[in-house]
Amino acid sequence: MLTPRSKGHDYHHGDLRASAIAAGREMIKKGGINALGLRKVAERLQVSPASLYRHFEDVETLQAEICSEVRQELGEYMLVAREKVPKSRSKSLNAKLRFRALGHAYMDFANKNKKLFESAFLFRMHNQNQDAEGLAWNLLTESLDELRSTGELLSKTDEEACMLAWSAVHGLATLVAQDAIEPERYEQSKIQIMNGVERALTGKVSRSAI
Amino acid sequence: MLTPRSKGHDYHHGDLRASAIAAGREMIKKGGINALGLRKVAERLQVSPASLYRHFEDVETLQAEICSEVRQELGEYMLVAREKVPKSRSKSLNAKLRFRALGHAYMDFANKNKKLFESAFLFRMHNQNQDAEGLAWNLLTESLDELRSTGELLSKTDEEACMLAWSAVHGLATLVAQDAIEPERYEQSKIQIMNGVERALTGKVSRSAI
DNA sequence: TGTACATCAGTGAACGCGCGTTCACTGATGTAC
DNA sequence: TGTACATCAGTGAACGCGCGTTCACTGATGTAC
């Protein structure tokens, strides 16, 4: 069970599949979805183009798998951010802070990974609709449940809460990913969005939440 | 000054530039930004590929001009919708209705012209930053001024109003354009967004506005 | 422990394709005389 | 009104390029005996 590297130039790559996804991810990260190409991935991995067909049906499958992976990353990024929120005495404040952390994380991910974020939603595989986008979405509804259970959610707004929160946060994320927001205004904008959403959902904005 | 058509097969096209933009627009409308190609446009117009270089520096210029035109269309679509709003007695109700009309129009345009909308913001020409996107944006700030002058805008929200309104509306527009919203839920979602935004900006939602 | 063999992840050469762009050209048009 | 000429929007053929995909192949690996 020695590592295959030890034997001369490895005829077998080791884990070409994972490497291809990682390499493709980097290409999208740098140049957007159109920068990804099967031949370019092969060249980057010092491997023949044909070899990739052992692992992916075609180039679209590769695209879709990378995008799915990025959506998963986004969800995990949000999860981590939420868990970092320090516990506060008040349950309701806690719920608000956790909610805001999710929103911030979503937008920050888009800001840090503009091209990846932009691409992630362009190709959804039809076979698995709610795998990864589901994670971000589930975190949102979970968070709204939390707010609701502490009585912070205006009863009138309950139905529309999800839609508004999602659209507003996704909207700014999209704008920042497309460089439509001046970088120096981003942090401020992010807070404005969360304030607006919080005001719409709860009728006010907690000072300590800002 | 007879129409050039009258003379056999027209060697000169008439207005190749405008035709090319129109043809390109249709291609993007059907197949997204990647469906646009210089050779395809030429073929569609029954014209040699080289002829297009009399009117466009390269294919990117053509792309950019089409996208700019679509942004202009979007603004005009909003303008028309706003002017259709019947005048009401109350100035403040009037301002709200006009505001909502703008938001609805923005999202409706995206819903009716998914691919065009999606593409419109992908390519902004660097030479003219605020021509056409400016129109939609200017209508928004104009509308917020209107709300402010009737005293409907919460003073606290003033700074963030613009950002929230823009992000929320643009967010749903993006989602619907990418087929991330089930068609039968679109109308409802649209209203939810505008209710949420209005609540965030004014602290309440007028019954007569829904 | 050594040998024969099936497996299958890789190779490398070739395929056809459509793309954007170039170039020397042609012929319709409007203008000057 | 008729003719010579400059203009310039079109032609059509060719360019090189990079792409996704295919195919018969090769050789490293693990397994059965």
Side-chain angles (χ1 to χ4, degrees):
Chain A
M1 272 296 179
L2 291 173
T3 153
R5 301 284 162 120
S6 57
K7 293 247 193 160
H9 292 326
D10 18 36
Y11 190 89
H12 287 80
H13 182 279
D15 195 353
L16 183 52
R17 178 186 169 78
S19 309
I21 289 179
R25 205 198 94 111
E26 288 315 297
M27 288 168 155
I28 294 178
K29 182 167 190 170
K30 275 188 191 155
I33 193 70
N34 290 322
L36 181 137
L38 192 140
R39 290 183 91 99
K40 282 184 190 157
V41 168
E43 189 189 16
R44 188 162 171 142
L45 296 177
Q46 308 248 58
V47 128
S48 81
S51 68
L52 293 172
Y53 286 88
R54 296 273 165 214
H55 303 278
F56 307 96
E57 208 176 280
D58 51 25
V59 75
E60 283 189 14
T61 308
L62 175 58
Q63 274 183 341
E65 296 213 18
I66 295 172
C67 290
S68 169
E69 195 188 86
V70 173
R71 270 176 265 135
Q72 184 68 28
E73 278 180 56
L74 167 60
E76 281 158 13
Y77 189 84
M78 292 167 73
L79 198 54
V80 168
R82 190 188 65 181
E83 295 315 310
K84 273 191 191 154
V85 174
K87 271 220 167 179
S88 42
R89 293 244 179 87
S90 147
K91 264 200 164 185
S92 72
L93 179 57
N94 209 36
K96 282 186 189 174
L97 291 175
R98 284 158 65 86
F99 176 73
R100 291 181 80 103
L102 289 179
H104 281 169
Y106 191 95
M107 296 183 273
D108 285 346
F109 185 90
N111 187 43
K112 282 196 215 167
N113 308 280
K114 299 185 203 291
K115 303 281 189 184
L116 281 178
F117 177 83
E118 214 177 346
S119 309
F121 294 97
L122 289 179
F123 295 92
R124 298 161 219 261
M125 287 161 71
H126 289 293
N127 50 8
Q128 44 183 17
N129 270 337
Q130 64 194 97
D131 61 330
E133 186 182 11
L135 182 47
W137 179 266
N138 289 339
L139 287 171
L140 169 60
T141 56
E142 203 176 300
S143 198
L144 288 176
D145 286 343
E146 225 172 298
L147 283 170
R148 192 178 298 114
S149 74
T150 64
E152 284 296 320
L153 221 52
L154 287 177
S155 59
K156 296 178 181 180
T157 75
D158 207 339
E159 289 168 16
E160 71 197 42
C162 204
M163 207 67 230
L164 178 74
W166 186 263
S167 293
V169 169
H170 182 74
L172 185 64
T174 300
L175 289 169
V176 74
Q178 289 182 351
D179 290 320
I181 303 284
E182 297 155 38
E184 64 269 23
R185 292 203 47 191
Y186 166 67
E187 289 296 330
Q188 189 195 359
S189 303
K190 189 173 69 176
I191 290 168
Q192 288 175 341
I193 294 298
M194 294 315 290
N195 285 351
V197 170
E198 190 173 329
R199 180 172 293 107
L201 301 198
T202 69
K204 58 189 190 304
V205 174
S206 0
R207 285 194 176 273
S208 40
I210 304 175
Chain B
M1 270 299 177
L2 293 174
T3 152
R5 300 284 162 118
S6 58
K7 294 244 192 163
H9 292 327
D10 18 37
Y11 190 88
H12 286 78
H13 182 279
D15 195 352
L16 184 51
R17 179 188 168 78
S19 308
I21 289 180
R25 205 197 95 111
E26 288 314 296
M27 289 169 153
I28 294 177
K29 183 166 188 171
K30 276 189 191 155
I33 193 71
N34 290 322
L36 181 137
L38 191 140
R39 292 183 90 97
K40 283 185 189 156
V41 168
E43 190 190 15
R44 188 162 169 144
L45 297 176
Q46 308 248 58
V47 128
S48 82
S51 67
L52 293 171
Y53 286 88
R54 296 272 165 215
H55 303 277
F56 308 96
E57 208 177 278
D58 51 25
V59 74
E60 284 189 13
T61 308
L62 175 58
Q63 274 184 341
E65 296 213 17
I66 295 172
C67 290
S68 169
E69 195 188 86
V70 173
R71 270 177 265 136
Q72 185 68 28
E73 277 179 57
L74 167 60
E76 281 158 13
Y77 189 85
M78 292 167 74
L79 198 54
V80 167
R82 189 188 66 180
E83 295 315 309
K84 274 192 191 154
V85 174
K87 270 219 167 179
S88 40
R89 294 245 178 85
S90 147
K91 265 199 164 187
S92 73
L93 179 57
N94 209 37
K96 281 187 190 174
L97 291 176
R98 284 159 66 86
F99 176 73
R100 291 181 79 104
L102 289 179
H104 281 171
Y106 191 94
M107 296 183 274
D108 284 346
F109 185 90
N111 187 43
K112 282 197 215 167
N113 308 282
K114 299 185 204 290
K115 303 281 188 184
L116 281 178
F117 177 84
E118 214 177 345
S119 310
F121 295 97
L122 289 179
F123 295 91
R124 298 162 219 258
M125 288 163 71
H126 290 293
N127 50 7
Q128 42 184 17
N129 271 338
Q130 62 194 96
D131 61 331
E133 185 181 14
L135 181 47
W137 178 267
N138 289 339
L139 288 172
L140 170 61
T141 56
E142 204 177 300
S143 197
L144 289 175
D145 287 343
E146 225 172 299
L147 283 169
R148 191 177 298 114
S149 74
T150 63
E152 284 298 318
L153 221 51
L154 288 176
S155 59
K156 296 179 182 179
T157 74
D158 207 339
E159 290 167 14
E160 70 196 43
C162 205
M163 207 67 231
L164 178 74
W166 186 263
S167 293
V169 168
H170 182 73
L172 186 62
T174 300
L175 290 169
V176 74
Q178 290 180 350
D179 291 319
I181 303 285
E182 298 156 37
E184 64 270 22
R185 290 203 48 189
Y186 166 66
E187 288 296 329
Q188 189 196 359
S189 303
K190 190 173 68 175
I191 290 168
Q192 288 175 341
I193 295 299
M194 294 313 292
N195 284 352
V197 170
E198 190 174 328
R199 180 173 293 108
L201 301 198
T202 69
K204 59 189 191 302
V205 174
S206 359
R207 285 195 177 273
S208 39
I210 306 175

